Amino acid sequence: GIAIEYTDYDHEMLIEILSCFLKYDGYAGGLKIIEHTKLQSDVSDPHGFCTKIKDMVLMARDNPTFFDQISNCISLICEAACDHHVLMAQGFISVALSVKVVEGAVIQIEPDAVVAPRA
């Protein structure tokens, strides 16, 4: 697998970041991602990184087909991390990719399945 272990720390970190996303506060989510990076001193332009994450969260909020674009959102987060030298915690990426794998498996079994409807 991608992750060797998923610790309580990874779980808490993921809850903190996703809570920010669910509140549509992508900037705060970006700050949490940076807070949990191992080499914070290597991060270039934290404001730029957080702004990209904020824009991605707002796009997801405003797009009724968001769940069709989870891969795009993961790509945007990873691209922003690369651009700004944010070393992402492996637990965050592992869970994001796991969601996409499960979604893909469900769609293969039942193409008309509603995997994650909007509330």
Side-chain angles (χ1 to χ4, degrees):
I2 295 169
I4 295 171
E5 67 178 310
Y6 183 72
T7 65
D8 288 341
Y9 174 81
D10 291 327
H11 180 77
E12 290 299 321
M13 176 223 19
L14 184 65
I15 296 299
E16 289 176 9
I17 294 168
L18 293 180
S19 292
C20 291
F21 289 2
L22 290 171
K23 295 174 188 172
Y24 304 119
D25 192 352
Y27 197 92
L31 289 173
K32 287 291 181 188
I33 292 170
I34 290 172
E35 180 183 314
H36 291 288
T37 192
K38 292 181 181 178
L39 301 171
Q40 291 181 17
S41 61
D42 288 351
V43 175
S44 67
D45 187 18
H47 173 70
F49 174 78
C50 293
T51 299
K52 287 179 182 180
I53 301 301
K54 176 191 79 166
D55 292 345
M56 184 269 311
V57 168
L58 294 177
M59 179 276 301
R61 178 195 68 192
D62 297 338
N63 191 334
T65 61
F66 163 71
F67 286 102
D68 295 335
Q69 299 187 34
I70 290 177
S71 295
N72 184 38
C73 291
I74 294 169
S75 295
L76 290 171
I77 293 169
C78 291
E79 183 178 315
C82 288
D83 290 347
H84 297 282
H85 307 279
V86 176
L87 182 60
M88 300 283 293
Q90 57 109 22
F92 182 78
I93 297 300
S94 293
V95 169
L97 291 174
S98 296
V99 168
K100 192 59 184 169
V101 168
V102 169
E103 176 189 38
V106 169
I107 296 299
Q108 287 297 315
I109 294 168
E110 178 55 56
D112 297 326
V114 178
V115 178
R118 270 199 131 154

